[in-house]
Amino acid sequence: MKRDFLEAVACRRSIYAIGPEPCAGYDRVAEVVRHALLHAPSTFNSQSARAVVLTLEPHRRLWDIVLDTLKGLVPEDAFRQTALKISGFRAGAGTVMFFEDQAVVRDLQERYPLYADKFPEFSLQSSGMAQFIVWTALSDEGCGASLQHYNPLIDEAVAAEWNLPSSWRLISQLVFGSVREAPLQKSFSPIEDRVLVIGE
Ligand SMILES: Cc1cc2nc3c(=O)[nH]c(=O)nc-3n(C[C@H](O)[C@H](O)[C@H](O)COP(=O)(O)O)c2cc1C
């Protein structure tokens, strides 16, 4: 890690203006994603997270799928703006798609019926942890990235395009690339109101 952990946490931002130049080698990106999924905590160590790393042409194919899907749904007058946004993502270097394996969630529900209603929620929390590790690590490598959610609109097309298991539920798309523009300044609500320290 190039930065101290807490500094890396603070430096991770949503970067929307991205380019195709390699910000980290694709091997390194794959290594980061494997590391995150290997070590992210999960309920009962169920390891329900799955990921697909798309680079180059498959990355562009994903954003073509998103655009084609939205074409039929977004009103014509708003579509120009939508198309611009999607082409900005397509201009990046790659996308990490995060999934949660529902077969794992169902198996937990059968084995631990007492917590059955909690497992879908725990699975999403665990996914968030894996996503955060990847996002922060890619930022630390010098990549710009933003987290997108075109699921569930694109779920069927994505599964068909890459022949993915039907139990994999798409959760998010982290699109990354070289940093073209620094993020805007971020405002913070007072942290004293948000964190209570009780006791010494
Ligand atoms: C669970 C979650 C969902 C988000 N969904 C989206 C999204 O669909 N599209 C998007 O552009 N940003 C999305 N974001 C990014 C947030 O808008 C962003 O993290 C927030 O405004 C703080 O900015 P920062 O990432 O630069 O710190 C999401 C973030 C989180 C944690």
Side-chain angles (χ1 to χ4, degrees), residues 78-99:
F79 188 70
R80 219 178 96 82
Q81 205 53 37
T82 302
L84 266 178
K85 192 166 137 186
I86 303 305
S87 73
F89 300 142
R90 193 181 187 279
T95 305
V96 184
M97 296 192 293
F98 291 89
F99 299 80

Side-chain angles (χ1 to χ4, degrees), residues 63-110:
W63 294 103
D64 289 342
I65 288 173
V66 172
L67 193 65
D68 285 349
T69 306
L70 294 179
K71 205 173 275 171
L73 300 169
V74 175
E76 219 170 294
D77 52 338
F79 188 70
R80 219 178 96 82
Q81 205 53 37
T82 302
L84 266 178
K85 192 166 137 186
I86 303 305
S87 73
F89 300 142
R90 193 181 187 279
T95 305
V96 184
M97 296 192 293
F98 291 89
F99 299 80
E100 282 289 297
D101 192 340
Q102 299 307 299
V104 175
V105 177
R106 281 192 295 272
D107 178 59
L108 284 167
Q109 289 176 313
E110 279 163 23

Side-chain angles (χ1 to χ4, degrees), residues 12-14 16 135 147-149 186:
R12 179 224 51 82
R13 294 293 313 277
S14 294
Y16 294 100
W135 195 352
L147 192 62
Q148 301 303 319
H149 296 89
K186 187 159 117 170

Side-chain angles (χ1 to χ4, degrees), residues 146-167:
S146 78
L147 192 62
Q148 301 303 319
H149 296 89
Y150 289 97
N151 46 292
L153 298 174
I154 58 170
D155 291 13
E156 272 179 37
V158 164
E161 180 72 24
W162 290 290
N163 199 20
L164 302 175
S166 61
S167 62

